[in-house]
């Protein structure tokens, strides 16, 4: 990668630390986790003890108080691990679920949960999507009714990452039956052992095999009043705010994956021979990889610039939406070409590129489908 103006020495040290961790603690075991359908808790705790789960969080709770660019580094490097399922297990915890608590939690909620979230003792999930409402968050139907000093939650959630093995769930529910759309939605903190909460089904997926995904069910699930997260009926706006970080991180993960896939393919085509030459000698192959690398570099710079804007506190919804749309599509195009140049071997299970190809497919859908992101861009131009 081209060195650039966005990262300082602290960022580069963080990058080295994560790259070392991935090479020593992830690469040798990732295949096993793919088979087991989960990332072991001791690995997550080890990441916690190294400070990787509190990169952006306040020092008073055990975090490092770094900026958006630091999380971009985490996401890129986990993307480069080649195990998308591992990467998303971590990134949902650090950058998609726990920010709900950090951005809206009361002092009491932060003290109760955040130190253990940062240590990796409590793993988190965010449950917004339902089988009838994904892109259209305002269409969600799970609801909570207030009774005395608690809320009674009923409904279900679909496609929830870390759904099976999390300890703490941030759940969106409709709390004002008289309103429709974006009004009247509230976020709740649901602890795993809350009566009435259960895992409906464990979902088998095309890719991200080491990430556990579940349907969640709430049947008269009683949530204490103190587990309301943020303001009652203002949850939709909290979800939209947190989506911004989620989308920067997903873009960074995608670019880490794409850059790594190109590197692996360069190694392959420089060794593999056909028609008496290395594949690299074919101009069409060289040029396609060079073009993809240029696009990935452009994608990275868009991610970095957007993260920088975010770190300055600038409104960057347009740029964030561009990141999600551009990087989510690009990683798929890169994987297609990389698999193509691996020939038949790229289609065989157990090869890295076959897994990366499958893992990438969700990047243009999850966390904001390309079309939805382009609408967000279009609204602002
Ligand atoms: C593996 C996985 C993990 C996930 N993890 C989580 C999680 O942890 N928490 C969570 O809450 N959710 C999670 N999701 C849900 C994910 O964010 C949604 O799947 C995604 O937002 C799309 O919603 P949907 O599947 O309902 O598709 P739909 O909303 O039904 O859309 C289907 C397709 O229609 C198109 N489309 C939709 N809207 C428009 C539009 N306005 N204009 C043009 N085209 C449009 C897009 O191509 C889209 O892909 C996960 C999903 C998967 C598959």
């Amino acid at each position: 990668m081209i060195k650039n103006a966005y990262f300082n020495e602290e960022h580069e040290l963080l990058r080295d630390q994560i790259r070392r961790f991935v090479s020593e603690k992830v690469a040798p075991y990732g295949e096993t986790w793919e088979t087991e359908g989960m990332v072991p808790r001791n690995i997550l705790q080890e990441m916690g003890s190294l400070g990787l789960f509190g990169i952006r969080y306040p020092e008073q709770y055990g975090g490092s108080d770094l900026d958006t660019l630091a999380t971009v580094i985490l996401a890129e490097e986990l993307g480069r691990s080649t195990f998308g399922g591992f990467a998303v297990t971590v990134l949902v915890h650090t950058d998609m679920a726990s920010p709900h608590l950090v951005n809206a939690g009361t002092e009491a909620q932060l003290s109760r949960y955040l130190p253990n979230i940062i240590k990796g003792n409590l793993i988190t999930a965010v449950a917004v999507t339902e089988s009838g409402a994904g892109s259209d968050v305002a269409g969600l139907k799970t609801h909570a009714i207030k009774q005395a000093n608690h809320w009674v939650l009923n409904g279900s959630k679909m496609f929830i990452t870390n759904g099976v093995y999390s300890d703490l769930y941030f759940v969106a529910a409709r709390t004002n039956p008289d309103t429709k759309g974006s009004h009247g939605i509230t976020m709740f903190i649901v602890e795993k052992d809350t009566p009435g909460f259960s895992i409906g089904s464990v979902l088998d997926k095309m890719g991200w095999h080491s990430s556990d995904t579940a349907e969640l069910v709430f049947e008269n699930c009683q949530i204490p009043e103190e587990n309301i997260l943020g303001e009652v009926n203002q949850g939709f706006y909290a979800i939209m705010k947190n989506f911004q970080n989620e989308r920067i991180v997903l873009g960074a993960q995608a670019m880490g994956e794409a850059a790594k896939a190109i590197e692996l393919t360069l190694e392959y085509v420089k060794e593999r021979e056909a028609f008496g030459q290395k594949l690299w000698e074919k101009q069409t192959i060289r040029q396609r990889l060079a073009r993809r690398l240029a696009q990935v570099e452009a994608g990275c710079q868009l991610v970095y610039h957007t993260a920088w804007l975010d770190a300055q506190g600038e409104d960057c919804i347009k740029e964030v939406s561009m990141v999600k749309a551009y990087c989510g599509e690009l990683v798929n195009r890169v994987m297609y070409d990389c698999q193509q140049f691996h020939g038949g071997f790229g289609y065989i299970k157990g090869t890295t590129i076959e897994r990366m190809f499958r893992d990438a497919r969700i990047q243009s859908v999850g966390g904001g489908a390309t079309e939805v992101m382009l609408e967000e861009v279009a609204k602002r131009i």
Side-chain angles (χ1 to χ4, degrees):
M1 286 287 115
I2 297 169
K3 291 271 177 198
N4 67 72
Y6 293 105
F7 299 116
N8 58 31
E9 200 184 338
E10 193 171 27
H11 290 127
E12 296 300 349
L13 287 172
L14 179 67
R15 191 184 286 287
D16 291 346
Q17 183 198 17
I18 303 169
R19 198 169 285 194
R20 228 174 16 254
F21 180 84
V22 165
S23 125
E24 287 168 14
K25 299 292 169 86
V26 179
Y29 310 105
E31 285 282 11
T32 309
W33 305 341
E34 288 279 294
T35 314
E36 290 171 351
M38 66 174 299
V39 178
R41 182 59 66 97
N42 66 312
I43 282 294
L44 300 176
Q45 283 169 327
E46 197 170 336
M47 292 186 81
S49 68
L50 290 171
L52 300 177
F53 287 176
I55 287 178
R56 298 268 293 283
Y57 294 158
E59 286 177 15
Q60 76 178 106
Y61 298 104
S64 312
D65 234 339
L66 298 178
D67 62 1
T68 322
L69 284 152
T71 12
V72 157
I73 289 173
L74 176 70
E76 268 190 315
E77 292 302 317
L78 298 188
R80 286 180 58 87
S81 74
T82 80
F83 292 97
F86 159 72
V88 79
T89 299
V90 172
L91 295 172
V92 163
H93 174 63
T94 56
D95 281 275
M96 304 179 208
S98 60
H100 280 270
L101 178 77
V102 174
N103 291 334
T106 61
E107 186 55 51
Q109 289 169 339
L110 291 171
S111 308
R112 181 172 160 93
Y113 300 117
L114 193 52
N116 276 320
I117 286 174
I118 291 174
K119 284 183 190 143
N121 295 334
L122 282 181
I123 298 301
T124 56
V126 55
V128 175
T129 305
E130 301 180 358
S131 56
S135 308
D136 185 9
V137 171
L140 65 84
K141 292 206 162 50
T142 294
H143 58 275
I145 296 171
K146 184 146 192 216
Q147 285 181 357
N149 60 349
H150 61 265
W151 292 75
V152 180
L153 187 60
N154 277 288
S156 63
K157 295 287 170 183
M158 188 50 106
F159 308 139
I160 306 308
T161 301
N162 297 348
V164 186
Y165 298 109
S166 274
D167 308 287
L168 207 57
Y169 299 76
F170 305 114
V171 181
R174 194 162 287 290
T175 35
N176 186 343
D178 300 330
T179 57
K180 287 206 167 69
S182 54
H183 303 290
I185 293 172
T186 304
M187 295 300 295
F188 290 89
I189 303 173
V190 181
E191 295 184 8
K192 182 156 216 162
D193 55 3
T194 309
F197 169 50
S198 60
I199 312 297
S201 53
V202 180
L203 303 169
D204 198 6
K205 306 182 295 299
M206 171 183 173
W208 280 4
H209 285 170
S210 43
S211 157
D212 59 292
T213 313
E215 180 196 11
L216 310 180
V217 177
F218 306 93
E219 287 172 309
N220 294 324
C221 181
Q222 287 195 13
I223 314 293
E225 177 76 25
E226 64 263 25
N227 280 20
I228 292 237
L229 188 53
E231 267 185 77
V232 174
N233 294 331
Q234 298 298 309
F236 181 84
Y237 309 103
I239 293 166
M240 292 303 133
K241 180 172 186 282
N242 288 318
F243 270 159
Q244 299 311 304
N245 188 59
E246 173 168 341
R247 288 168 182 163
I248 295 174
V249 162
L250 285 168
Q253 181 191 343
M255 290 304 88
E257 291 167 358
K260 182 70 179 185
I262 292 175
E263 285 173 27
L264 294 174
T265 307
L266 283 173
E267 279 171 27
Y268 187 79
V269 299
K270 286 182 178 181
E271 283 302 317
R272 176 81 178 172
E273 287 191 11
F275 301 97
Q277 282 179 315
K278 304 285 186 202
L279 290 176
W280 179 246
E281 301 302 322
K282 317 283 176 203
Q283 192 182 40
T284 185
I285 291 181
R286 266 194 330 252
Q287 291 239 338
R288 187 107 67 94
L289 288 173
R291 182 184 298 273
R292 289 301 183 209
L293 192 56
Q295 291 169 331
V296 170
E297 189 58 49
C300 286
Q301 297 301 327
L302 178 61
V303 170
Y304 302 158
H305 176 64
T306 306
W308 179 81
L309 285 176
D310 186 67
Q312 310 306 307
E314 296 285 330
D315 177 338
C316 51
I317 298 176
K318 183 178 74 180
E319 289 80 2
V320 169
S321 308
M322 286 178 177
V323 161
K324 184 65 184 61
Y326 183 77
C327 299
E329 291 292 324
L330 179 58
V331 68
N332 277 286
R333 279 160 182 62
V334 167
M335 291 309 165
Y336 180 93
D337 286 352
C338 290
Q339 193 179 38
Q340 180 74 12
F341 297 149
H342 275 76
F345 287 115
Y347 195 66
I348 301 303
K349 281 209 164 177
T351 60
T352 304
I353 208 69
E354 184 269 344
R355 181 181 62 249
M356 293 183 85
F357 180 91
R358 284 187 287 104
D359 284 351
R361 186 62 192 89
I362 189 61
Q363 297 270 27
S364 62
V365 174
T370 304
E371 296 79 2
V372 178
M373 293 298 91
L374 292 177
E375 283 300 300
E376 292 302 318
V377 176
K379 275 184 214 165
R380 293 170 174 82
I381 56 178

